[in-house]
Amino acid sequence: MTINVLQKIEALDFNKSSYKSISEKTHWKILHDNDNVVRLLLDKKDSSTNTLSADVLQELDEILNNIEATLPHALVISSAKSGGFCAGADIKEFKNIDESGMIDILNRGHAVLDRLASLKIPTIAVIHGHCLGGGLELALACDQRIGVKNDLEIGFPEIKLGVHPGLGGTFRLTRLINPVDAMTMMLTGKSVYNGQAKKRGLIDDLVEQRHIENAVQAAISGDLKKHKHSFKSFILNISAARKFASKKMRVLSEKKAPSDHYPAPYALIDLWETFGGSIKKMQAEEVKSFARLLKSDTAQNLIRVFFLHQSLKSAAGNHSSIRHVHVIGAGSMGGDIAGWCAMQGLTVTLSDQKKEPIANAVKNTEKLCLEKHKSEIETRATLDRLIPDLQGKGVCKADLIIEAVPENIEIKQQLYQSIESKMKNGAILATNTSSILIGQLAESLENPARFMGLHFFNPVSKMLIVETIHHTHTSDDVMAQMLSFTRSIGKVPVTVASYPGFLVNRALTPYLLEAITIVEEGIDKKHVDAAAKKFGMPMGPIELADQIGLDVCVHVADMMADSLDKPMVKIPDSVRKKINNGELGKKSGQGFYRWKNGKAEHDGIVEQNLDDQITDRLILPMLDACVECRRKGVVKNIDHLDGAMIFATGFAPFRGGPIHYARARGIDDIVKTLDKFSHQYGDRFSPDPGWKDL
């Protein structure tokens, strides 16, 4: 084990002098160097990622006993994991615990970090990779922080779990940096990267890997300048300023996370506004507030979503043999798929019949690199891997060919016939179709076993889920390879059988069509969208239909209507007229809404007394379609169905997924309401037989 520790030390480029002693606990490596500096390496046992679990903190407490007794010259804390410093708390510890138990755990954690913060020696955190949540709270308890360039990510994502920082983050961050910036970080859950972290004062230095030791020595000797509060930051922390800023924060938060559904942002704002003037009081109230929020339905459902994400990831292998991807079709989807794969380190050849789409794909990939905080070197490397290929020569060399041509079965089948004989042995062919049955497309292939669907969602860079769609003849090996490939490019696969609309579009289309039908009945589109947003959807269905493209929505709906047992609502002639007039939605600048600079123009105020029947007419057909997909075996795992719908459609995360919501609301109530709507509006609302099995 000592050899492994030394190898990790060498890899992290600590000083090359010999160490007087090297010891270890279960999760920490403890090194004493010849300058009487103690180095602690966090190395969570049996985990690829460090988390700040209760046993990790308990061991740190024991280590601090000895440090307080011996008072070395300095203490340096870093990570032995290559991926990062610390990903935060161990979320598993949040399950099955009552409020008083959580308060006890937090108080013990606070006591440990308070001991670290009060040490009478210099304490330095050396941070590389991700430093999130509890990991950041550990780093904030040190006197100074040194970041490693290029892959540094710092943030408090707790708000996404329905809570706020609970181990001192609320008062330490608002005292370290501009308190409004600190609150914004915590309220949004957004991370900061590299130079941003230095500029905001989260770290005192940002260095290349090879310069870590020099920066550490400067911090120990007092030559590394500490970040200090500006006078503006001092002013913003006084009571009157906190009250004024808090009012604005509540208004902004309400737009993104309505207080009816997401209590955590408002609890955090109350905490800072009321107790921000006293560290001691804010610390005590932080613990109570965190424990109280943790037991809310919102937090429990958001924690459920976290584990749904983990479950979907764990269903796929970790290692992919795909090294070269060839994408056919450089339109909005194909170009973005190609750029994303190149960004993940794969060689990508991109072909199209014209030069312009390929050029646009390269430009968009460069913009995406900037958005994802890639360095100039990383951006150049990404663009070097994205190879324009007008003649389609990459087909012969690629491990995976992804077809992203227009949604026309004849065009796709003709393409397959022209390239299948050119594919190398072992290569896989995948289609990004969103509506055509995979089995139908496979009929034109000599070897259908190596063919399947990879349905990415738009925009590729932001949508986490990819539907991996198999048909009768898809080989198990090809399925396994595609699951691993999807994971290797940072996406989460959900395994889906070939079925009209697959899972996501099968469930989403009735929701969109019902919204259009309600508007056709004379209800204002803003009223319909507001009802969906009040339920918790991130965007109203009318605006979403515009964003997807009205032509795409109608095309998918028409294809599904011919294949499903249950009737679909008739698409109004007015919508087809819009399409014929070129009013396609966002991409044309006009649909149901007028679009400007990529955003829908919302005029007028929506009345607040929204009709619950409108909400049920929108949401219940989506739930019914999910039940149908479960009954038909489109997705076999109910949790995976819930996760896919949350990550692909934005289905209200705080409700825990459509099936989870249905069970919480009551199956009998939903079936009764569907029956009522069936008599009132038609057979499209008839409850699926699968409800009785839930």
Side-chain angles (χ1 to χ4, degrees):
M1 181 64 75
T2 300
I3 293 175
N4 291 337
V5 174
L6 288 172
Q7 287 174 341
K8 288 182 176 180
I9 295 166
E10 186 175 353
L12 289 168
D13 198 36
F14 288 145
N15 71 30
K16 301 302 188 288
S17 62
S18 60
Y19 291 84
K20 290 192 296 185
S21 66
I22 298 175
S23 59
E24 58 184 298
K25 287 182 171 290
T26 304
H27 306 297
W28 293 91
K29 316 304 180 190
I30 309 162
L31 305 98
H32 291 77
D33 69 17
N34 288 331
D35 297 321
N36 196 26
V37 173
V38 173
R39 317 254 181 172
L40 294 183
L41 278 72
L42 179 54
D43 194 9
K44 184 74 181 289
K45 186 178 180 181
D46 299 327
S47 175
S48 60
T49 305
N50 285 329
T51 54
L52 207 64
S53 55
D55 52 347
V56 167
L57 284 169
Q58 176 60 38
E59 284 192 357
L60 178 58
D61 198 35
E62 295 166 4
I63 293 167
L64 292 176
N65 285 334
N66 185 60
I67 290 176
E68 286 176 340
T70 59
L71 276 187
H73 188 47
L75 171 64
V76 181
I77 300 178
S78 59
S79 164
K81 305 290 189 189
S82 60
F85 183 73
C86 182
D90 186 344
I91 308 301
K92 293 191 293 292
E93 295 182 349
F94 290 178
K95 299 176 74 174
N96 304 318
I97 186 169
D98 60 21
E99 191 170 325
S100 62
M102 193 70 242
I103 288 174
D104 182 58
I105 288 175
L106 291 175
N107 281 334
R108 282 186 274 129
H110 273 270
V112 177
L113 295 188
D114 285 351
R115 288 184 74 187
L116 174 61
S118 62
L119 285 176
K120 304 301 183 185
I121 57 174
T123 54
I124 302 106
V126 176
I127 305 167
H128 73 281
H130 48 249
C131 177
L132 305 171
L136 179 52
E137 286 169 312
L138 172 64
L140 289 174
C142 295
D143 296 329
Q144 291 190 274
R145 286 149 297 283
I146 298 168
V148 182
K149 274 186 179 177
N150 294 334
D151 64 348
L152 185 66
E153 178 190 3
I154 295 178
F156 276 129
E158 285 88 345
I159 210 80
K160 298 175 183 179
L161 293 177
V163 292
H164 52 61
L167 280 176
T170 63
F171 64 86
R172 286 198 171 98
L173 190 64
T174 50
R175 292 296 173 123
L176 176 70
I177 67 173
N178 180 312
V180 174
D181 287 345
M183 288 293 291
T184 301
M185 273 186 67
M186 292 186 283
L187 287 169
T188 62
K190 292 181 179 179
S191 297
V192 294
Y193 301 84
N194 297 310
Q196 291 178 328
K198 175 73 161 59
K199 185 176 181 180
R200 292 195 186 183
L202 289 159
I203 55 176
D204 299 291
D205 203 0
L206 181 66
V207 299
E208 301 284 354
Q209 179 80 29
R210 64 183 182 275
H211 296 313
I212 292 174
E213 186 56 29
N214 288 338
V216 168
Q217 292 302 325
I220 292 172
S221 65
D223 293 332
L224 179 60
K225 187 178 179 181
K226 287 186 179 182
H227 171 75
K228 292 184 178 180
H229 256 318
S230 66
F231 181 71
K232 180 182 177 182
S233 294
F234 171 78
I235 292 296
L236 288 172
N237 249 330
I238 64 175
S239 178
R242 292 200 311 272
K243 187 172 183 178
F244 177 77
S246 294
K247 185 177 181 180
K248 293 184 67 175
M249 289 174 189
R250 289 188 184 93
V251 172
L252 292 172
S253 295
E254 195 67 45
K255 294 178 181 178
K256 297 289 186 181
S259 53
D260 288 347
H261 302 317
Y262 295 97
Y266 308 94
L268 175 59
I269 294 168
D270 290 345
L271 180 67
W272 179 62
E273 180 184 6
T274 308
F275 303 104
S278 167
I279 289 177
K280 187 175 181 180
K281 289 181 180 178
M282 194 166 177
Q283 182 173 24
E285 294 300 324
E286 176 195 84
V287 169
K288 295 176 188 175
S289 178
F290 183 100
R292 189 165 51 247
L293 287 168
L294 184 64
K295 300 312 295 178
S296 68
D297 288 342
T298 294
Q300 290 302 304
N301 283 335
L302 291 176
I303 290 169
R304 168 180 161 76
V305 172
F306 173 85
F307 285 109
L308 292 178
H309 181 204
Q310 301 294 42
S311 177
L312 282 164
K313 287 200 303 183
S314 65
N318 292 321
H319 303 289
S320 171
S321 60
I322 306 297
R323 296 291 176 267
H324 179 176
V325 176
H326 180 75
V327 180
I328 303 174
S332 59
M333 286 302 295
D336 286 356
I337 292 168
W340 181 262
C341 289
M343 191 182 294
Q344 308 313 307
L346 300 176
T347 298
V348 181
T349 43
L350 176 59
S351 67
D352 198 280
Q353 294 179 331
K354 299 179 180 178
K355 294 180 181 179
E356 290 79 8
I358 297 177
N360 287 334
V362 173
K363 285 182 182 178
N364 290 337
T365 301
E366 188 172 15
K367 291 179 184 176
L368 181 60
C369 287
L370 182 64
E371 291 174 11
K372 296 296 182 180
H373 310 283
K374 298 295 182 182
S375 67
E376 289 185 17
I377 294 174
E378 290 170 324
T379 299
R380 176 48 51 197
T382 295
L383 297 179
D384 287 346
R385 289 190 293 267
L386 180 56
I387 304 166
D389 184 14
L390 275 169
Q391 297 178 342
K393 293 181 178 179
V395 168
C396 305
K397 301 176 182 178
D399 304 308
L400 169 64
I401 299 163
I402 300 176
E403 166 268 302
V405 301
E407 288 285 271
N408 181 292
I409 190 168
E410 288 80 15
I411 292 174
K412 291 178 185 287
Q413 288 183 331
Q414 288 172 12
L415 173 65
Y416 301 161
Q417 290 171 359
S418 71
I419 66 172
E420 186 176 14
S421 63
K422 301 175 185 178
M423 293 168 58
K424 70 179 185 180
N425 289 335
I428 297 170
L429 174 62
T431 175
N432 185 53
T433 183
S434 60
S435 58
I436 305 173
L437 291 175
I438 305 302
Q440 283 184 286
L441 290 172
E443 290 172 358
S444 64
L445 292 166
E446 292 289 332
N447 182 7
R450 62 174 174 174
F451 175 72
M452 62 178 293
L454 278 183
H455 182 207
F456 290 79
F457 294 90
N458 192 23
V460 173
S461 63
K462 294 181 180 178
M463 300 302 287
L464 190 63
I465 283 288
V466 173
E467 288 180 312
T468 56
I469 311 145
H470 57 88
H471 61 97
T472 306
H473 300 293
T474 305
S475 76
D476 291 342
D477 178 64
V478 167
M479 274 299 300
Q481 286 192 63
M482 288 300 90
L483 290 172
S484 297
F485 163 74
T486 307
R487 285 279 288 112
S488 75
I489 61 169
K491 300 298 182 183
V492 177
V494 56
T495 301
V496 179
S498 184
Y499 188 70
F502 313 132
L503 167 64
V504 173
N505 280 340
R506 172 64 190 101
L508 191 63
T509 301
Y511 166 72
L512 299 177
L513 293 185
E514 196 62 34
I516 291 171
T517 301
I518 295 171
V519 171
E520 188 74 5
E521 292 171 1
I523 304 299
D524 191 284
K525 62 180 180 290
K526 295 189 293 295
H527 190 103
V528 176
D529 278 354
K533 292 174 75 174
K534 184 180 179 183
F535 176 81
M537 303 301 282
M539 178 184 293
I542 300 299
E543 185 175 344
L544 179 59
D546 261 5
Q547 183 157 302
I548 293 170
L550 299 183
D551 54 336
V552 175
C553 292
V554 169
H555 175 74
V556 172
D558 285 343
M559 294 199 71
M560 287 173 54
D562 295 336
S563 307
L564 292 170
D565 298 332
K566 177 171 287 190
M568 300 274 286
V569 65
K570 183 180 182 297
I571 297 170
D573 292 338
S574 60
V575 176
R576 296 190 188 276
K577 186 176 180 180
K578 278 181 177 290
I579 295 170
N580 292 335
N581 291 338
E583 298 176 8
L584 307 180
K586 180 180 178 179
K587 57 189 171 186
S588 67
Q590 177 68 56
F592 282 98
Y593 289 95
R594 182 177 298 279
W595 291 75
K596 188 173 182 180
N597 298 323
K599 294 184 178 181
E601 293 185 341
H602 297 279
D603 299 321
I605 299 173
V606 178
E607 58 184 280
Q608 294 302 307
N609 185 22
L610 298 173
D611 187 349
D612 287 341
Q613 179 165 300
I614 290 178
T615 304
D616 275 350
R617 281 185 64 183
L618 295 173
I619 301 300
L620 296 195
M622 184 191 298
L623 303 188
D624 192 70
C626 288
V627 171
E628 176 189 305
C629 286
R630 190 251 182 178
R631 176 175 61 85
K632 293 276 191 176
V634 180
V635 178
K636 294 182 179 180
N637 186 311
I638 286 182
D639 283 348
H640 288 184
L641 187 156
D642 273 349
M645 290 300 294
I646 291 168
F647 298 127
T649 73
F651 184 91
F654 66 90
R655 298 190 186 274
I659 301 298
H660 186 76
Y661 164 72
R663 286 171 166 167
R665 172 171 167 172
I667 301 301
D668 290 344
D669 177 66
I670 289 177
V671 171
K672 182 179 178 181
T673 306
L674 284 170
D675 273 329
K676 182 183 77 172
F677 286 170
S678 178
H679 288 100
Q680 192 172 355
Y681 300 109
D683 290 344
R684 68 182 183 273
F685 283 102
S686 297
D688 188 86
W691 284 105
K692 67 179 184 295
D693 297 324
L694 291 179

